[in-house]
Amino acid sequence: MRNLSSILWAMIFFFCIAGCGEQLVSQPQMDETEPSTTSTAEAVEAVSVPQSPVALTVLYTSDEHGWMEGQETGQGAANMLGLWREKEGYPDKTRFLVLSGGDSWTGPAISTWYQGESMAQVMKIMGYQASAVGNHEFDFGVESLKRQIAGSSFPYLAANLVYKESGNLADDLGIKSYTIVDLDGILVGVIGLSNSATAYTANPAIVGAFDFADYAETLRTTSAELKQKGAQVVVLTSHLCERDLNELVATAQSMNIAVMGGGHCHMGFSKTINGVAIIDSAPYLNSYAYVHLMYDPATMKTSVVDEGLQTNQGGNADPELQALVSEWATKTEKEGGVQIGYLKKELQRQSEEMQALIVETWLWGYPQADVALTNLGGMRDRLAAGKVTLAGVVSVMPFNNTIVEVHLTGTQLQKILEGKLTTPPALGGIRFSDGQWVLAKSGNPLNANDVYSVLVNDFMYAGGDRYSDLAKFDPDAYFTSIDWRQPVIDWIKAQESSENQPLDDAIRLLIEDSH
Ligand SMILES: [Zn+2]
């Protein structure tokens, strides 16, 4: 396995030569719809401040996860931009603030293969002015994050994300705690908050250096600072779930924060509690949330007129954005469209078949191991029927994980498996039968004192998804450096499947062999 040099490796290297090292310089073409952004309050003097009440509109999405093409036809980014024009009068009807709650990049190959560069370009044309830092923004490592932020047309915000050691903000990565957007003379302060669950939902090897400060306290101090700097309207964009936002209502109300946007939990919602609009879109650009606001310069108060959720359906695709998405799709198709197999029936995301295709092929490619475990959260897409391509596999497994071999006693392995009964991982090489764990290889039950070779992904080994026992039980695990997709790709290729002899039966056999 260690000597395998496959197309994928070659492609990853190719991408890195072609893309990873490249400075993501933002194109000089500034979209004319894009309102000016400033991070200082100096602009106050430059514009005349309106005297009568003014209308503001917040357009909000989160957890876009790279779905610029949409999960269904007609639900892509270009259609959403069309809807913003048609339904909201974007960008001229009112002053607009376009925000994201984060997790924008990791997803299908069209975004993941380029570490979000394509999605950043899409969001630039859409006119986003700020984004919270989601847990998935860390997926490609801090160096990539830094590069993406530097190349982005808008700031990434996380006021509560601080280094454990120094207590300082992650300024060195380009992450800010807030930004001030000048909307034709109205200064809107935007605060960002990251989800404290990032500590274990992102790879702890990457985010282990960070602490997450208290939400309410951070919101209070940051909004006070913003007001001092001249912000007239203050809003929050965050990667927080609805429950967290509910708990922040009193703080928001006391600081006259008009809007709180959330993310991470993939729940579209919109409501107003005590004058504070709380919103989040559905994930994957399936919908956007909006809030219509009135700001009265006389009283310096912001009030919510209404808010809601709009499904991304029926929008006429913006031609410029559609062209950009098509360009990326063609590029992805060309580079990742190499056919490696043929599937008659679609593999549903996280289905038994998909689980077997991953963990059983790890054991196929790494036969010295006894057991393979991988968390279901790593499977992000279905595998469509028809031509199976590299890009298809990357969409299913978008994270750049590697396989780690740990050595565990029967007792330790049992403890890990039984600690995960409510959210079990995909299991290869072991099954639960007649009240005991039985190994597929030997047909024998797990022996308490025997030591087994167990394959996991490096995200789990680093303690992600609360698998911290793995490193505790085996601190000297072997980092194989094998891309976790590699055995899947190699196995699919080895089947030499075709329309006449699709992969489906071979996948079925993988499941049977494990029983
Ligand atoms: Zn998230």
Side-chain angles (χ1 to χ4, degrees), residues 53-70:
V54 291
L56 301 162
T57 304
V58 177
L59 299 176
Y60 192 89
T61 62
S62 76
D63 301 87
E64 300 85 1
H65 282 290
W67 280 98
M68 66 191 81
E69 292 184 284

Side-chain angles (χ1 to χ4, degrees), residues 153-165:
S153 55
F154 51 86
Y156 276 80
L157 311 175
N160 61 328
L161 181 79
V162 292
Y163 282 107
K164 274 180 187 160
E165 236 181 79

Side-chain angles (χ1 to χ4, degrees), residues 63 65 101-103 134-136 195 198 201 239 263-266:
D63 301 87
H65 282 290
D103 279 7
N135 50 305
H136 285 293
N195 197 313
T198 302
T201 50
H239 204 60
H264 188 60
C265 280
H266 292 199

